[in-house]
Amino acid sequence: MDNKSLEKLELNKILSSVAEFTTTVGGKSIVFACKPSSDIAEVRQRLDITEECDKLLYTYGVGKIEGFPDVDEVLKRAAKGSTLSCKELLDCAALLRSARIAFTSIEKCEELPLTKSLTRNIYFDKGLEDDICDKIISVDALSDNASDRLYSIRAKIKSLNARIREKLSEYASGKYSEFLQDGIVTIRNDRFVVPVKAEHKNRVKGFIHDRSKTGATFFIEPEYILELNNELIALTIDEREEVEAILKALSARLGSLSEQLNKDAEILAELDARFAKAEYCYIKKCTKPKVNNRGYIDIIKGRHPLIDKDNVVPVSLELGGNYNFLLLSGANTGGKTVTLKMCGLFCLMAACGLYIPAAEGSSVGIFSKIYCDIGDSQSIEESLSTFSSHITSVIDICNGADKDSLVLIDELGGGTNPDEGQALAKSVVKHLLDCGAKGIVTTHYTPLKEFAYTVGGIENASMEFDTDTLKPLYRIKIGLPGASNALSISKRLGMSKEILDRAESYLSEGARSFENVVRRAEESRIDAEKKLAEISAMQLEWREKLDRVNAQIAELNREKDKINRSARTESRRIISERTEQAEEMLAAIEEIFKKEELKEADLIAARTLKNKLKEKAFEEEEEKKQVIDFAPATAQNIRVGINVFVKPMDCRGQVVAYNAAKGETEVRCGSLKMHLKLKDLLIVGEEKEKPKSVKVVKRLPKSMPVLEINVLGMTVEEALYEVDNFIDRAVTDNLEEVKVIHGVGTGKLKNAIAERLKRHKNVESFRLGKYGEGETGVTFIKLK
């Protein structure tokens, strides 16, 4: 990759932002050293690693790498046998702790092959970590409990200090108190002394250790605490030696692990850098891009990561599919340069293993070389003008570009005579197309826009511009060039009308014509898009209305099915009732003819029952005393409150409202209200008496549904016959559960009934009674 291009695309600023999320010095260095890869397999692996780290941080809730200082030199000295200080040992303990936490927290997570291939090489020693942290309590002190000997020595030192102070306090408050400068005990040369006035120094027996700067005070060690001080110094030496021994032992243990710990530091730094990338992508709301080595770029709602999120406008563009180059034109400040830089930067970010701030489904190409020429590159040291510097970069691009290159050139051919500049720009673009490179070129040259229509592989594109407000919209439109709108923008910024009119008169006829055509085409396109948006909104509205109508139709169909089910149930009930009445009559006739001797009265009774039975067979027709006429509903005969027959629902209803303007009625059918046209209704006519004579029929009282049957004492055949009839009646009565009382006995009757129920078409399930229900002497049947 060309370093100048990387700098112009500002990849270094992106990496600097990523490095802010690291917690270790090594991790920060790895981020800054990251270079874009041109190997598609490596890039995909980098992106997969970032995806795994994103899962670790934001799905599994694993914490970032625990920070620790750079201990490389410390471990080298430990390996050579040096004794480390308390601070250095604590720094090494921080490394051990960080390694342990990273290993244990990541190993418990699943489906992270790339990360675990790194973490499985982490070494940690919980025992050594605990020893260091337990024995060293600060950067310059060991715990009293670091060893038994140290504890004993410090206990003796503490006791001896107390004795010495107690002795000196007695000295200061006794007969020698008048010789002392003040009543305090101090230390000189690691020995306890008392401050004696200079004129009385010979009255206090002991050793002089120091004198004040004024000479007024001598610090004397009384001779009777000499031995105590000597003992204290000896204990202090013992303490120092024990501390040194403890530190040496800990250092030796670290030294033996220096190689593994250095490896740990490298692994943790790499993990830290990976976590920093994942965190940066999460904070910036980036998505994982699709990558390819075909040079195909499809950015959906991309946002330049270095522009404030509240100000950035998402931009979409496609490149490398039907065309290899985009010729991007449009007004100044319209976002052409930002779009060009964003395209190159996204390719570099993906090549570094970073997600891109764009919508899901975006794709970027992986290129072996990315060339970029943006902005004023005037070089004072090399005595190059802006144009010379620009052309020098273009020459380098033309010499190095190939089919695996991405080329980004801002204002190609600018900074010189327009005729020569546009001619040079055409030639450069044609060369880049011929060598198979992909890229974006921005321009204001009208001939170059026309050129893009005449050659293959390049497509005009424009940054959209609001012609009413004269403000850029920061959207790309593929297929149309953009007008520069320089005069319009100048007018908006306050340039006088006189100057603008003169400038317009200086425009060539061709340039004026082309700009006018482009402008009118842009206005027409914008107007068409507005109308398309309106049509789409109307389609959505009508689609919602159609969904509501379909839902109402479905509800009507459900209500119709409900009514039909009710009608069928009522039919079964009537049939069952009349069958039962007929059976009663037949049984009565049979009882009459069972008598040994029939009387005339018996024959009359039998004949009467026979006539009643005939009447029951035709009772439905005989009971129709009224004939109802139906007439089509019209605007003249429809009115609120009238009964109607609803043809689509095959049911009756009542009119509750009528809208004459629309020709619609609101009809209530049970609990359901419907809006219907007149053609869907029939008016229920007046009820007329049948001309036939009315027969008075004596109806038997309707019996209550029977919920149980007792078959105790019956044979198996009799019981099964009665149970079958009982189930049929229960079905016609719409019963859900009935009971059969059969007793316990030998179980023969119970088993026979159970076998019959298993095969019965109207039985859903059955069970024996529970405690308090009759237990095994009864069977409960649930009907379908």
Side-chain angles (χ1 to χ4, degrees):
M1 293 285 180
D2 180 28
N3 289 330
K4 289 183 179 179
S5 296
L6 299 184
E7 185 177 348
K8 287 183 178 181
L9 293 174
E10 300 178 296
L11 178 64
N12 57 327
K13 293 183 180 179
I14 300 298
L15 295 179
S16 179
S17 297
V18 174
E20 292 177 3
F21 294 100
T22 58
T23 59
T24 67
V25 176
K28 193 180 297 292
S29 299
I30 290 175
V31 170
F32 280 124
C34 182
K35 296 295 182 184
S37 173
S38 58
D39 184 342
I40 187 70
E42 183 181 357
V43 171
R44 285 174 176 155
Q45 186 181 69
R46 288 182 176 185
L47 291 170
D48 290 343
I49 287 172
T50 302
E51 183 178 27
E52 288 188 359
C53 291
D54 179 81
K55 285 183 180 179
L56 282 167
L57 291 174
Y58 303 109
T59 301
Y60 296 112
V62 172
K64 295 170 64 176
I65 298 300
E66 294 278 341
F68 58 89
D70 184 4
V71 294
D72 182 55
E73 292 299 325
V74 172
L75 291 173
K76 286 180 181 178
R77 289 195 291 108
K80 293 177 180 180
S82 299
T83 300
L84 305 181
S85 66
C86 293
K87 180 183 181 305
E88 291 169 337
L89 287 167
L90 289 174
D91 289 346
C92 293
L95 169 59
L96 285 166
R97 182 174 184 273
S98 181
R100 175 177 55 82
I101 292 175
F103 179 84
T104 55
S105 58
I106 293 174
E107 280 299 311
K108 66 183 179 183
C109 302
E110 299 176 354
E111 300 178 357
L112 302 168
L114 297 174
T115 304
K116 286 188 175 181
S117 66
L118 182 66
T119 58
R120 69 169 57 101
N121 296 317
I122 291 178
Y123 173 85
F124 62 93
D125 188 332
K126 183 69 163 56
L128 178 56
E129 175 194 340
D130 290 342
D131 279 349
I132 294 174
C133 294
D134 291 343
K135 293 181 179 181
I136 303 175
I137 57 176
S138 70
V139 295
D140 56 4
L142 263 65
S143 167
D144 291 348
N145 297 313
S147 70
D148 293 340
R149 183 166 181 266
L150 183 61
Y151 180 84
S152 174
I153 292 171
R154 287 185 173 176
K156 292 177 181 178
I157 290 174
K158 184 177 180 181
S159 174
L160 192 55
N161 277 331
R163 286 170 56 196
I164 292 173
R165 288 183 178 276
E166 183 181 353
K167 289 286 186 181
L168 290 177
S169 296
E170 292 175 359
Y171 190 90
S173 61
K175 62 179 181 178
Y176 294 103
S177 60
E178 59 180 299
F179 305 143
L180 304 182
Q181 193 70 263
D182 48 46
I184 64 171
V185 176
T186 185
I187 296 176
R188 289 291 187 275
N189 300 326
D190 297 328
R191 303 177 78 89
F192 285 96
V193 295
V194 293
V196 180
K197 298 175 181 177
E199 60 272 23
H200 300 301
K201 64 180 175 54
N202 294 324
R203 292 176 174 267
V204 177
K205 294 182 179 181
F207 295 92
I208 298 174
H209 285 276
D210 200 2
R211 184 178 65 178
S212 65
K213 291 182 180 180
T214 62
T217 303
F218 283 82
F219 297 95
I220 300 176
E221 177 186 6
E223 62 179 5
Y224 71 88
I225 66 164
L226 176 64
E227 290 301 325
L228 293 177
N229 269 332
N230 289 340
E231 185 179 351
L232 180 61
I233 290 175
L235 288 172
T236 303
I237 294 172
D238 291 342
E239 179 193 21
R240 186 165 56 247
E241 290 176 350
E242 181 61 18
V243 167
E244 184 71 17
I246 294 171
L247 296 179
K248 187 176 182 64
L250 292 174
S251 300
R253 291 172 66 183
L254 281 172
S256 65
L257 302 174
S258 61
E259 185 176 346
Q260 293 96 317
L261 295 182
N262 275 321
K263 185 66 175 177
D264 278 357
E266 294 174 4
I267 294 173
L268 295 175
E270 177 64 29
L271 282 174
D272 186 28
R274 293 180 180 184
F275 282 149
K277 290 180 180 180
E279 188 173 4
Y280 172 85
C281 295
Y282 179 83
I283 297 297
K284 291 291 184 179
K285 294 181 173 57
C286 300
T287 60
K288 184 180 180 181
K290 301 174 185 176
V291 293
N292 62 85
N293 54 6
R294 298 179 286 106
Y296 177 68
I297 298 173
D298 182 18
I299 297 173
I300 306 171
K301 294 182 179 180
R303 312 177 307 277
H304 197 292
L306 297 178
I307 300 178
D308 185 83
K309 64 178 181 179
D310 297 326
N311 298 325
V312 67
V313 178
V315 175
S316 300
L317 67 88
E318 186 178 4
L319 177 68
N322 297 328
Y323 46 86
N324 287 340
F325 263 84
L326 272 181
L327 184 67
L328 193 56
S329 54
N332 289 317
T333 71
K336 299 190 299 297
T337 303
V338 171
T339 301
L340 182 144
K341 294 174 71 172
M342 180 191 74
C343 179
L345 182 58
F346 279 9
C347 293
L348 293 175
M349 289 176 67
C352 289
L354 290 167
Y355 289 3
I356 61 174
E360 290 282 353
S362 296
S363 299
V364 294
I366 301 304
F367 299 92
S368 60
K369 290 172 281 191
I370 295 180
Y371 295 102
C372 180
D373 181 65
I374 298 175
D376 185 357
S377 301
Q378 183 170 350
S379 173
I380 296 175
E381 293 83 355
E382 298 179 11
S383 300
L384 295 177
S385 68
T386 300
F387 177 74
S388 299
S389 177
H390 170 62
I391 290 302
T392 300
S393 297
V394 171
I395 291 171
D396 291 339
I397 292 172
C398 291
N399 291 336
D402 56 23
K403 62 182 181 63
D404 295 322
S405 301
L406 177 66
V407 177
L408 307 167
I409 305 178
D410 191 26
E411 299 296 344
L412 177 59
T416 188
N417 177 279
D419 287 339
E420 294 182 347
Q422 59 87 13
L424 181 62
K426 289 180 184 178
S427 181
V428 170
V429 169
K430 187 64 171 66
H431 171 78
L432 294 174
L433 287 171
D434 291 342
C435 70
K438 281 82 175 177
I440 301 175
V441 173
T442 68
T443 188
H444 287 288
Y445 288 145
T446 297
L448 193 56
K449 300 174 190 177
E450 296 171 345
F451 175 75
Y453 282 122
T454 62
V455 297
I458 185 169
E459 186 70 52
N460 268 306
S462 59
M463 300 301 298
E464 293 190 21
F465 191 79
D466 192 327
T467 55
D468 295 329
T469 62
L470 299 179
K471 291 183 178 179
L473 300 177
Y474 304 107
R475 295 196 299 263
I476 293 181
K477 189 63 182 178
I478 306 295
L480 284 176
S484 297
N485 292 295
L487 299 183
S488 300
I489 295 173
S490 300
K491 181 179 179 180
R492 178 171 64 88
L493 295 177
M495 184 169 286
S496 69
K497 186 175 183 301
E498 179 184 358
I499 297 174
L500 291 173
D501 290 343
R502 187 180 300 115
E504 189 170 355
S505 69
Y506 291 154
L507 286 173
S508 67
E509 186 62 32
R512 187 184 298 113
S513 175
F514 184 81
E515 289 293 318
N516 288 336
V517 169
V518 169
R519 189 176 295 107
R520 285 195 297 272
E522 181 69 6
E523 291 172 355
S524 299
R525 182 189 61 77
I526 292 174
D527 185 58
E529 286 186 349
K530 288 181 180 178
K531 286 182 170 53
L532 180 61
E534 292 174 1
I535 293 172
S536 298
M538 291 176 63
Q539 286 180 335
L540 180 61
E541 180 183 355
W542 281 107
R543 191 176 294 111
E544 291 175 351
K545 289 182 178 180
L546 181 61
D547 290 341
R548 288 198 295 270
V549 169
N550 289 334
Q552 290 178 350
I553 292 174
E555 179 64 26
L556 291 174
N557 289 333
R558 286 194 293 272
E559 190 68 21
K560 180 179 178 180
D561 291 341
K562 182 178 178 182
I563 292 171
N564 289 337
R565 285 196 301 272
S566 299
R568 287 194 296 270
T569 302
E570 181 66 14
S571 299
R572 287 198 300 268
R573 186 192 66 75
I574 293 172
I575 292 170
S576 175
E577 177 184 333
R578 294 188 178 178
T579 301
E580 185 178 351
Q581 292 173 356
E583 288 177 351
E584 290 177 355
M585 292 178 187
L586 289 173
I589 292 173
E590 288 177 2
E591 288 295 327
I592 291 173
F593 284 99
K594 283 181 180 180
K595 295 181 180 179
E596 295 180 359
E597 184 179 352
L598 293 176
K599 299 178 180 179
E600 186 176 353
D602 295 330
L603 294 174
I604 293 172
R607 191 176 298 111
T608 302
L609 289 173
K610 178 183 177 183
N611 292 334
K612 286 184 178 181
L613 190 60
K614 288 181 179 180
E615 291 175 359
K616 285 295 180 183
F618 302 99
E619 188 178 46
E620 183 176 354
E621 288 74 19
E622 292 293 335
E623 285 182 346
K624 291 182 179 178
K625 306 170 192 174
Q626 301 170 338
V627 176
I628 301 173
D629 294 332
F630 296 96
T634 65
Q636 288 73 34
N637 62 11
I638 195 74
R639 65 180 183 274
V640 176
I642 196 170
N643 293 326
V644 294
F645 181 80
V646 181
K647 290 190 287 185
M649 292 294 296
D650 194 23
C651 67
R652 292 190 184 191
Q654 187 179 51
V655 177
V656 296
Y658 173 61
N659 188 331
K662 294 184 177 181
E664 291 185 352
T665 60
E666 184 177 348
V667 179
R668 179 190 295 112
C669 293
S671 60
L672 184 65
K673 285 186 178 181
M674 298 173 287
H675 290 274
L676 300 165
K677 298 289 185 182
L678 291 177
K679 63 181 179 66
D680 296 324
L681 303 177
L682 295 174
I683 303 296
V684 179
E686 298 294 331
E687 297 180 348
K688 301 177 181 179
E689 293 291 333
K690 258 185 105 175
K692 296 182 179 179
S693 60
V694 178
K695 291 185 178 181
V696 178
V697 179
K698 182 179 179 182
R699 297 178 63 87
L700 294 174
K702 183 180 178 181
S703 59
M704 294 295 291
V706 180
L707 300 177
E708 65 181 43
I709 184 173
N710 190 335
V711 295
L712 286 171
M714 297 183 183
T715 65
V716 170
E717 290 74 19
E718 292 173 342
L720 294 178
Y721 175 80
E722 292 297 330
V723 168
D724 286 340
N725 291 334
F726 173 64
I727 292 175
D728 291 338
R729 289 196 299 274
V731 170
T732 58
D733 288 340
N734 289 325
L735 299 180
E736 294 183 357
E737 188 178 79
V738 293
K739 179 172 68 174
V740 176
I741 303 172
H742 46 67
V744 179
T746 62
K748 184 177 180 181
L749 187 57
K750 177 186 71 173
N751 295 336
I753 291 173
E755 288 298 321
R756 176 62 61 89
L757 294 178
K758 288 179 183 178
R759 299 187 298 273
H760 203 292
K761 64 180 180 179
N762 291 325
V763 174
E764 181 176 327
S765 62
F766 63 91
R767 64 177 177 84
L768 294 175
K770 300 177 182 176
Y771 179 76
E773 293 180 335
E775 300 181 36
T776 58
V778 298
T779 296
F780 286 87
I781 305 170
K782 186 175 181 181
L783 302 174
K784 293 183 179 178

